[in-house]
Amino acid sequence: MKYIQTVEAGLLEFSVGKFRYLELKKPFPEEAILRHISSNVTFVIFQIHSQYQNTTISFSETLLPNASETGTDKGLVSILRPEQSMCTWHLETLDPEPVQNVAIPLSYSESDPIPGGCNLEFDVDIDPNIYLEYNFFETTIKFAPANLGYARGADPPSCDVKMGPDSRWRLQYDVYQYFLPENDLTEEVLLRHLQRMAEVPQVQASAVKVVTLTADDKTSVSFSSLRGQGVIYNVIVRDPFLNTSTAYVPTHTYACSFEAEEGNCSSLVRLIVTAIAGSIGGIFLVAAWWRFGVLTLCMLCVGLVLGFLVASVAFFTPLGNLKIFRVDAVFWVTFSCIAIFIPVVFMGCLRILNILSCGFIGSYSVVLAVDSYLYTSLSYITLNILRRALHVDFRRAFVNVPFQTNDFIVLAVWGMLAVSGITLQIRRERGRPFFPPHPYKLWKRERERRVTNILDPSYHIPPLRERLFSRLAQIEGLFQKEQPAGERTPLLL
């Protein structure tokens, strides 16, 4: 990656709408300057981005809480005075290692809404930043409400005095989500793709609009956390009366840490507790079939697992983001009905139910195995349902995931394995009994037959212990050297 050198020591020249790469080092602050600002510009948003190391941006060399921001994706709004044609910002980092950044100043006119212009929650008076928090289950973004634009030297419109169409309550907020290439954690890729999420036209062309909020809605949106997957979020505030819009400062996350040993981005998610519980359940199910042979009960369990997978696939589609399913009662009743519907429909033909279950569930286990080595979003089909069951607030999260080249390949493999597995089992089981007797019954029948029929050659088979010792003796004999048989005399002819 090439970084543009400074024109003067400690001074960085910027142009409106032009991205610039720069490197910050401790303790060498830099000053960013924007000259020749047009007279029709009323405010400028300067934003700077890095991958995971913090950068500080401020209006002055002295860092004040209400005039500076520190983080990986930060920006400040400069309200221009009459006749003002130049702006400056101070940049620095406290990280001991050099920090690679990309920065850009964007200009707006008096008709454009001001992001964060009605901020009452965060430190900076006018805060255009998006604040992001994440955990294993969900990623939440928050931002301050915007205000209407105004001319240079004029007083800003009041935020909460009136709520009519001539106030900031007419503004609308479009929330956008943009996925980075899967399994790519490189700094160069992030800084390049962030340039597609800074300005309104590029955001609308590149990202996916998830939801539109009005001034009456809470300025907070939750998404499903995708650990190790780069995601960029941004918000566009629109003034439908003037048909103008402004973008907030985009923010990004990988839902993991590049520096922490625990929860770092190089490790993959493992639901160990779920795997153990599934193994124990599988062992008990096999044991129940081996000992008691209760066919209906066993097939009911198998059918419910297939129904669980089918219901999970249904809610993995855009159906899962419908507002009605954010109500837990509606979601779980619908999910349970789909899961139960599958075994109920096939209860009259248990062999078909068993074959379908083996085909779909067995092939999906291959998908989960592939996810351990090659990232694929298909693993979230069941993971999102487990998150919904374990975390109360996950119901408000949008469950969008990237669907890229890896996912198309794995999806094709999943379908091929499922169809071929089902076809092979149907051909193999044709003409055979639907279900053989359970193993315990066969073992008991064989034991009684051997006891009562002394003419049966198997009656004279030695006990298992003697057979094991005999086999071990044969194996040991393979490693012993052949002993000489004594003196040998040539044959006399």
Side-chain angles (χ1 to χ4, degrees):
M1 183 186 299
K2 297 181 179 179
Y3 296 91
I4 299 178
Q5 302 297 322
T6 60
V7 177
E8 303 175 19
L11 186 63
L12 300 170
E13 290 276 0
F14 280 87
S15 300
V16 172
K18 301 295 184 180
F19 285 94
R20 177 168 183 172
Y21 289 98
L22 59 131
E23 182 181 86
L24 294 177
K25 298 180 181 179
K26 179 185 178 180
F28 304 105
E30 303 279 359
E31 184 178 9
I33 184 170
L34 177 64
R35 307 178 193 269
H36 311 298
I37 302 176
S38 175
S39 59
N40 64 347
V41 174
T42 58
F43 68 95
V44 175
I45 299 178
F46 184 89
Q47 54 185 267
I48 185 168
H49 305 274
S50 61
Q51 187 176 34
Y52 65 91
Q53 297 164 285
N54 286 340
T55 299
T56 299
I57 175 176
S58 64
F59 289 119
S60 61
E61 294 183 7
T62 303
L63 301 183
L64 301 175
N66 63 344
S68 64
E69 288 283 357
T70 300
T72 56
D73 302 287
K74 293 300 177 182
L76 292 175
V77 174
S78 296
I79 303 296
L80 302 181
R81 302 182 303 274
E83 307 302 327
Q84 182 179 355
S85 62
M86 183 179 69
C87 285
T88 58
W89 302 271
H90 295 268
L91 312 174
E92 64 177 276
T93 181
L94 299 179
D95 199 286
E97 299 294 329
V99 182
Q100 313 297 341
N101 300 271
V102 64
I104 182 176
L106 299 172
S107 62
Y108 297 92
S109 66
E110 61 180 278
S111 62
D112 297 317
I114 303 176
C118 287
N119 171 43
L120 297 175
E121 182 178 356
F122 309 108
D123 293 333
V124 181
D125 294 335
I126 301 177
D127 196 339
N129 298 288
I130 299 174
Y131 293 85
L132 185 146
E133 299 176 351
Y134 71 86
N135 54 37
F136 172 77
F137 299 96
E138 61 179 344
T139 297
T140 303
I141 61 171
K142 300 178 181 179
F143 56 94
N147 199 0
L148 299 178
Y150 53 95
R152 291 195 189 192
D155 294 328
S158 177
C159 289
D160 296 316
V161 172
K162 52 184 178 179
M163 301 177 62
D166 57 344
S167 68
R168 64 105 177 172
W169 294 91
R170 75 189 188 206
L171 299 178
Q172 298 179 350
Y173 304 87
D174 295 333
V175 181
Y176 285 84
Q177 185 181 37
Y178 179 86
F179 295 109
L180 295 178
E182 290 179 336
N183 206 28
D184 193 330
L185 306 179
T186 58
E187 183 179 72
E188 182 179 1
V189 168
L190 169 67
L191 298 183
R192 186 174 71 249
H193 284 269
L194 272 168
Q195 300 178 29
R196 302 181 181 179
M197 292 294 289
E199 301 180 77
V200 173
Q202 286 81 358
V203 173
Q204 293 175 336
S206 304
V208 176
K209 184 169 70 172
V210 178
V211 65
T212 297
L213 305 177
T214 64
D216 296 326
D217 297 320
K218 188 176 180 180
T219 54
S220 175
V221 182
S222 295
F223 302 84
S224 171
S225 290
L226 306 174
R227 188 173 181 181
Q229 169 63 48
V231 187
I232 304 175
Y233 301 98
N234 205 348
V235 177
I236 293 179
V237 53
R238 292 186 292 107
D239 187 340
F241 184 77
L242 298 178
N243 196 26
T244 57
S245 58
T246 308
Y248 280 70
V249 176
T251 185
H252 76 279
T253 182
Y254 295 91
C256 57
S257 173
F258 279 82
E259 299 175 310
E261 294 182 2
E262 182 177 352
N264 62 75
C265 293
S266 61
S267 61
L268 299 174
V269 179
R270 298 288 190 274
L271 291 179
I272 299 177
V273 176
T274 305
I276 294 176
S279 300
I280 294 175
I283 291 173
F284 274 111
L285 183 62
V286 172
W289 164 252
W290 191 92
R291 177 62 180 84
F292 303 103
V294 184
L295 183 61
T296 304
L297 176 62
C298 294
M299 287 298 99
L300 177 62
C301 295
V302 171
L304 288 175
V305 174
L306 177 60
F308 174 86
L309 182 58
V310 172
S312 300
V313 171
F315 282 100
F316 187 70
T317 65
L319 178 70
N321 284 329
L322 294 181
K323 193 172 182 180
I324 189 174
F325 292 118
R326 294 190 178 186
V327 180
D328 280 337
V330 176
F331 175 84
W332 288 115
V333 168
T334 306
F335 186 89
S336 300
C337 289
I338 297 175
I340 295 174
F341 178 77
I342 300 299
V344 169
V345 168
F346 290 98
M347 195 54 67
C349 43
L350 295 180
R351 183 165 70 170
I352 296 298
L353 175 61
N354 185 59
I355 292 175
L356 292 177
S357 300
C358 293
F360 283 110
I361 299 173
S363 55
Y364 183 69
S365 66
V366 176
V367 173
L368 297 180
V370 169
D371 183 63
S372 299
Y373 305 95
L374 181 66
Y375 182 90
T376 171
S377 298
L378 297 179
S379 62
Y380 287 95
I381 291 176
T382 52
L383 181 59
N384 284 340
I385 303 301
L386 296 178
R387 287 174 168 177
R388 182 71 182 258
L390 297 174
H391 190 58
V392 176
D393 293 333
F394 192 77
R395 64 177 180 268
R396 66 188 182 188
F398 290 93
V399 292
N400 299 334
V401 296
F403 212 78
Q404 301 176 5
T405 304
N406 290 350
D407 306 301
F408 284 107
I409 295 175
V410 175
L411 180 62
V413 172
W414 182 15
M416 179 187 66
L417 291 176
V419 172
S420 60
I422 292 172
T423 304
L424 179 63
Q425 290 185 77
I426 291 177
R427 292 175 60 90
R428 179 175 175 270
E429 297 299 321
R430 186 178 300 167
R432 294 188 178 186
F434 279 9
F435 289 95
H438 59 93
Y440 177 77
K441 184 177 181 180
L442 293 176
W443 175 80
K444 189 175 180 180
R445 182 190 302 169
E446 178 66 14
R447 189 183 63 172
E448 292 176 351
R449 184 182 62 80
R450 290 175 53 195
V451 170
T452 57
N453 187 5
I454 61 174
L455 297 179
D456 190 344
S458 63
Y459 179 83
H460 304 283
I461 296 177
L464 177 62
R465 184 177 179 181
E466 294 183 10
R467 282 182 286 164
L468 290 177
F469 278 115
S470 176
R471 182 57 59 88
L472 288 174
Q474 294 178 5
I475 295 175
E476 291 178 358
L478 296 176
F479 297 94
Q480 293 179 355
K481 294 183 178 180
E482 183 178 356
Q483 299 296 327
E487 183 181 355
R488 296 183 178 179
T489 303
L491 181 62
L492 298 177
L493 299 179

